Amino acid sequence: MKNKGNVTLVNGPVVMGSGMGAFKLNEMVTVGNQRLIGEVVILEQDRATVQVYEETEGLRAGEEIISTGDPLSISLGPGMLGNMFDGIQRPLKKIESISPNFIPEGIGLLSIDTEKLWEVKLNVKEGDYLAAGAVYGTVQETASVLHKLLVPPLVAGKVVEVKPDGEYKIEDTVVVIELKSGARHELTLVQKWPVRKGRPTKERLPIYKPLITGQRVIDTFFPVAKGGTVGLPGGFGTGKTVTQHQLAKWSDADIIVYIGCGERGNEMTNVLEEFPSLIDPRTNRPLMERTILIANTSNMPVAAREASIYTGITMAEYFRDMGYDVAIMADSTSRWAEALREIAGRLEEMPAEEGYPAYLPSRLAQFYERAGCVKTLNNEEASVTIIGAVSPPGGDFSEPVTENTKRFVSAFLALDKKLAYARHYPAINYLTSYSSYVTILHDWYRDNVAPDMMYIRGKMVKLLQEEEKLNEIVQLIGEDVLPNDQQLILETARTIKKSFLQQNALHKEDTYVSLEKQYKMLKVIDVFYESALACVKLGIPVSIIRKVPIYQEIIKMKYDVPNSNLALLDELTDKIKAGYDELKAKYQE
């Protein structure tokens, strides 16, 4: 018997009901004659408050609220990759075939396609014991990704029946196991999981390897770890979405989950149009073959925006459990926080700073703590990396969402309006950004790239910090009055910014740069600085040092040296040494 209650009050996405004493907290319900999807968020004796994930216009007092018996859950199985969903996992392409212009109310909880046939290969036999998280079959979901069929986390038993390999729909039973209790459990190609509950793992592992993005300012200056958390704050027009596109396309994660939660419709349209046309550089096939898009624009129901982040992270954890490294892009957590603020206002909760609910920090913490490097139930090493964009109004980083995000992320890539307006992209501020993963990943860079990479990186950061201090003096009295060694610091800092930190996403050679090339480019700048410093110590003016022909080659090396011929950077290093040795010899005569 399904429990039933009645609507007593409608306040936007918040609906009050009576006669709901038998309902459970966080239970998924259907509301009204149109059977709108909702979730019980407050329960007080026989009265309940329901958060509705669809438009409630036309809903009246007295209509029924019916329980489903389950928490808000999504279906996990083949058919998610390459698909586009709304905030509660309803497929937008399927909905478009039903209603071309709008998502109609009461369409029901559509999910991944239940009619499509999948070629299934089963790798178990009768008598085998299957533990929770074990793989009992595989489906080649896309050319890029092998989908592993997993025993649900809370289920284990002996195989008593196995269907032959062949084509099956996601709800077809392919394996039957006998539980310890003697009951039989049917395994299909799909499983359900509540979105607000993290999927279990065997153990959490220490983070030790980077998420390689091919973006120099990130990989070298502010590295991101696999299983790490990243905040990407920036005002309007500073390049958050472009940076996330670059990370989605080039990072060495196996699966990308892109959540557009509360973005403007036109921005999300660009994502939906561009992503399907992007080619995955690893496979030369469409990037969508390893991507899931969740689109929940600012004009969609605000409650579904709040749920979209949990839907995305649950999908990411599911692929992590298969042994894949997953990167999740949330664009943007500010709009998600605004949904929390609106719902809290309608629930008449006491507001905290700037009207946000007092539990904003704990909700952010609950989201970011689901990232991590883990050992799965099937003993595979895998990770979920969360990259959360933040859109502070007016670029004010002191507002609550940015401040609280800073508390829970280990890398903070602050996008700067001045850099963006100066056409310096990615506009990541090299002075206010930071990454706690520099020390954690030090050994990995030493063993896999070069023993002195992090040392040179530290040297370059110090030069940029010195330049910032000197700029204050320069603005007062001009650059010419500075001693030569300080003028050289200014010159080297400009070189770092122009030849290394600026990166052209539209240039064939510059859009992605390997770690080896990044190191060699750093080495070129380091050799230039040390060679020029030796000249300065001999009394050679910086104006003469700047005229050595090799200087322009350093500035243009990011374009002139192809990724396939890094020996040219070694040649450039030798040229720099020879050029400045010649200059020193002239002056010593």
Side-chain angles (χ1 to χ4, degrees):
M1 278 291 291
K2 289 186 176 179
N3 298 314
K4 292 184 180 180
N6 294 98
V7 174
T8 56
L9 182 144
V10 180
N11 182 5
V14 173
V15 171
M16 307 284 187
S18 61
M20 298 177 66
F23 284 64
K24 295 174 185 169
L25 195 63
N26 292 336
E27 183 176 1
M28 190 160 62
V29 297
T30 60
V31 180
N33 301 333
Q34 289 185 299
R35 297 179 66 80
L36 307 175
I37 294 153
E39 180 186 15
V40 177
V41 291
I42 298 174
L43 205 51
E44 296 170 325
Q45 296 174 344
D46 76 328
R47 299 179 65 78
T49 304
V50 176
Q51 182 171 293
V52 180
Y53 294 115
E54 300 185 64
E55 185 58 58
T56 56
E57 192 174 333
L59 187 64
R60 293 178 299 178
E63 292 187 30
E64 283 187 331
I65 301 172
I66 302 171
S67 72
T68 63
D70 297 313
L72 178 66
S73 305
I74 59 170
S75 298
L76 302 167
M80 292 196 297
L81 290 173
N83 216 329
M84 303 174 192
F85 300 98
D86 75 349
I88 48 175
Q89 207 204 12
R90 295 184 301 184
L92 296 176
K93 285 179 184 173
K94 177 83 178 283
I95 292 171
E96 186 187 26
S97 66
I98 299 167
S99 172
N101 298 318
F102 300 99
I103 300 176
E105 291 86 24
I107 199 167
L109 197 60
L110 299 175
S111 188
I112 44 183
D113 193 343
T114 55
E115 297 303 312
K116 185 173 179 178
L117 290 167
W118 296 95
E119 187 66 42
V120 181
K121 290 183 179 175
L122 296 161
N123 53 12
V124 294
K125 57 186 186 300
E126 286 185 28
D128 287 353
Y129 179 81
L130 290 180
V135 177
Y136 58 88
T138 58
V139 173
Q140 193 67 51
E141 185 173 352
T142 68
S144 311
V145 179
L146 183 71
H147 192 113
K148 300 170 188 176
L149 304 176
L150 306 172
V151 177
L154 306 176
V155 176
K158 191 171 80 171
V159 176
V160 292
E161 187 184 330
V162 182
K163 294 282 177 69
D165 293 355
E167 292 190 334
Y168 295 93
K169 296 176 184 175
I170 60 168
E171 292 179 343
D172 292 343
T173 300
V174 290
V175 174
V176 180
I177 59 173
E178 190 177 274
L179 308 178
K180 196 181 279 186
S181 63
R184 291 192 164 203
H185 184 90
E186 296 179 343
L187 298 176
T188 62
L189 312 191
V190 69
Q191 55 180 276
K192 287 196 177 294
W193 190 262
V195 296
R196 298 188 190 277
K197 183 180 176 188
R199 287 173 65 87
T201 58
K202 187 160 277 184
E203 64 175 298
R204 288 180 80 89
L205 300 172
I207 283 168
Y208 72 94
K209 59 184 174 183
L211 180 76
I212 298 163
T213 66
Q215 312 307 301
R216 290 186 294 264
V217 66
I218 298 175
D219 289 346
T220 299
F221 275 60
F222 310 109
V224 173
K226 278 188 178 170
T229 51
V230 184
L232 190 68
F236 180 75
T238 52
K240 293 185 299 298
T241 305
V242 173
T243 304
Q244 287 199 320
H245 282 202
Q246 283 293 91
L247 296 179
K249 184 175 181 181
W250 294 107
S251 65
D252 66 339
D254 302 310
I255 308 288
I256 302 294
V257 180
Y258 189 98
I259 310 169
C261 52
E263 281 304 291
R264 298 169 187 82
N266 58 337
E267 286 187 20
M268 204 63 227
T269 303
N270 285 343
V271 174
L272 297 179
E273 285 177 350
E274 285 171 20
F275 261 63
S277 63
L278 290 177
I279 298 299
D280 184 352
R282 303 200 304 180
T283 60
N284 283 325
R285 294 187 58 81
L287 183 66
M288 281 299 290
E289 289 189 355
R290 60 183 183 93
T291 304
I292 301 169
L293 290 179
I294 297 174
N296 201 266
T297 56
S298 48
N299 63 337
M300 287 181 173
V302 73
R305 188 192 306 177
E306 188 267 341
S308 62
I309 268 189
Y310 299 107
T311 299
I313 193 73
T314 304
M315 290 176 172
E317 287 176 339
Y318 175 64
F319 281 100
R320 175 206 67 192
D321 291 349
M322 295 180 200
Y324 292 120
D325 291 316
V326 187
I328 180 167
M329 317 279 167
D331 189 11
S332 89
T333 52
S334 293
R335 311 268 187 269
W336 169 75
E338 283 166 14
L340 286 182
R341 179 166 64 183
E342 180 167 336
I343 292 161
R346 291 182 184 275
L347 292 172
E348 298 177 3
E349 294 172 343
M350 184 68 76
E353 193 181 354
E354 290 192 23
Y356 289 102
Y359 49 77
L360 172 67
S362 61
R363 290 287 178 88
L364 278 166
Q366 284 167 13
F367 171 58
Y368 282 111
E369 74 180 1
R370 288 174 74 171
C373 188
V374 303
K375 185 175 277 188
T376 68
L377 297 176
N378 199 34
N379 280 323
E380 292 189 79
E381 189 183 297
S383 66
V384 171
T385 307
I386 297 178
I387 300 160
V390 189
S391 310
D396 175 18
F397 287 5
S398 65
E399 58 88 42
V401 182
T402 312
E403 279 293 306
N404 284 302
T405 298
K406 204 184 266 192
R407 291 167 59 189
F408 306 119
V409 298
S410 296
F412 189 76
L413 308 178
L415 292 161
D416 189 272
K417 197 185 293 181
K418 285 181 185 173
L419 288 175
Y421 290 169
R423 297 289 183 267
H424 177 113
Y425 289 108
I428 293 169
N429 189 306
Y430 36 83
L431 297 168
T432 55
S433 300
Y434 63 84
S435 172
S436 304
Y437 299 120
V438 172
T439 49
I440 296 168
L441 299 173
H442 184 279
D443 292 350
W444 190 94
Y445 277 94
R446 183 194 64 207
D447 299 338
N448 294 278
V449 186
D452 60 343
M453 182 165 184
M454 287 291 107
Y455 166 73
I456 298 175
R457 174 232 175 242
K459 197 168 163 184
M460 298 300 136
V461 170
K462 197 172 178 185
L463 284 171
L464 289 167
Q465 289 167 343
E466 289 287 325
E467 184 227 18
E468 186 66 14
K469 289 177 193 168
L470 291 172
N471 273 339
E472 293 174 16
I473 301 168
V474 169
Q475 284 168 10
L476 288 172
I477 57 174
E479 189 177 324
D480 294 342
V481 298
L482 292 176
N484 275 329
D485 59 336
Q486 292 186 346
Q487 284 188 42
L488 180 61
I489 288 172
L490 293 176
E491 200 58 51
T492 309
R494 283 190 208 109
T495 307
I496 296 167
K497 287 186 272 190
K498 278 186 187 176
S499 64
F500 193 84
L501 295 179
Q502 266 185 300
Q503 192 164 348
N504 189 342
L506 303 174
H507 191 280
K508 184 169 73 78
E509 297 298 341
D510 205 35
T511 184
Y512 174 88
V513 182
S514 67
L515 284 180
E516 187 187 356
K517 184 176 176 183
Q518 292 182 39
Y519 167 69
K520 290 196 171 189
M521 288 173 75
L522 266 191
K523 193 75 178 168
V524 165
I525 299 167
D526 185 48
V527 167
F528 159 72
Y529 175 67
E530 291 299 334
S531 301
L533 188 59
C535 293
V536 164
K537 285 175 181 174
L538 289 174
I540 304 172
V542 170
S543 56
I544 302 288
I545 291 169
R546 203 183 287 141
K547 286 176 184 172
V548 175
I550 202 73
Y551 181 71
Q552 287 306 316
E553 287 188 46
I554 298 169
I555 298 295
K556 294 189 290 182
M557 65 181 169
K558 59 183 177 183
Y559 300 133
D560 293 349
V561 177
N563 292 315
S564 56
N565 189 6
L566 300 185
L568 291 176
L569 288 171
D570 297 327
E571 289 175 21
L572 184 56
T573 306
D574 294 337
K575 271 192 203 173
I576 293 166
K577 287 177 181 172
Y580 286 110
D581 283 347
E582 194 180 318
L583 185 63
K584 281 191 288 185
K586 273 185 192 174
Y587 261 77
Q588 282 169 331
E589 286 169 10

